[in-house]
């Protein structure tokens, strides 16, 4: 019983750290790529930079996500929690760790 509880606490702690890291990463990218309103207000005296950021950031982000998926050899749709639930219910194979890591990293890029 104690081992099961310790495992649950460990998995919960790792999941919460991963969620916090994801949010911090998205906030950082929002500031650096001039996506957040606060970051945009700091450079509003340079309209050319705002125009370039508004056009280039989504375009380059989409290209980066497509390139990562192409290089990783992932041609099917992204996996998510519903795929894990389906695999458990129908006793089929779970999505691979590599697939999960690739789709998680590209989710950060796409946000």
């Amino acid at each position: 019983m104690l081992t099961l509880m310790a495992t649950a606490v460990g998995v919960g702690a790792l999941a919460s750290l991963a969620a916090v890291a994801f949010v911090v990463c998205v906030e950082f990218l929002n500031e650096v790529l001039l996506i957040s309103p606060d970051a945009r207000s700091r450079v509003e005296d340079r309209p050319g930079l705002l125009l370039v950021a508004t056009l280039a950031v989504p375009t380059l982000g989409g290209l980066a996500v497509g390139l990562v998926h192409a290089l990783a050899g992932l041609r099917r749709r992204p996996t998510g929690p519903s795929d894990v639930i389906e695999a458990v219910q129908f006793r089929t194979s779970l999505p691979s760790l590599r697939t999960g890591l690739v789709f998680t990293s590209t989710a950060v890029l796409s946000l």
Side-chain angles (χ1 to χ4, degrees), residues 61-102:
L63 287 172
V65 168
L67 184 63
V68 168
H69 281 214
L71 291 177
L74 304 174
R75 304 258 186 241
R76 58 189 193 98
R77 68 177 182 79
T79 58
S82 60
D83 295 307
V84 175
I85 293 169
E86 179 183 340
V88 170
Q89 284 181 340
F90 295 120
R91 300 187 195 291
T92 59
S93 63
L94 292 170
S96 69
L97 178 63
R98 177 177 169 255
T99 302
L101 291 174
V102 168

Side-chain angles (χ1 to χ4, degrees), residues 6-16:
T7 303
V9 168
V11 168
L14 287 176
S16 66

Side-chain angles (χ1 to χ4, degrees), residues 14-35:
L14 287 176
S16 66
L17 288 174
V20 169
F22 183 80
V23 170
V24 167
C25 186
V26 168
E27 288 175 350
F28 173 74
L29 289 174
N30 281 340
E31 289 296 318
V32 170
L33 299 175
L34 301 176
I35 295 171

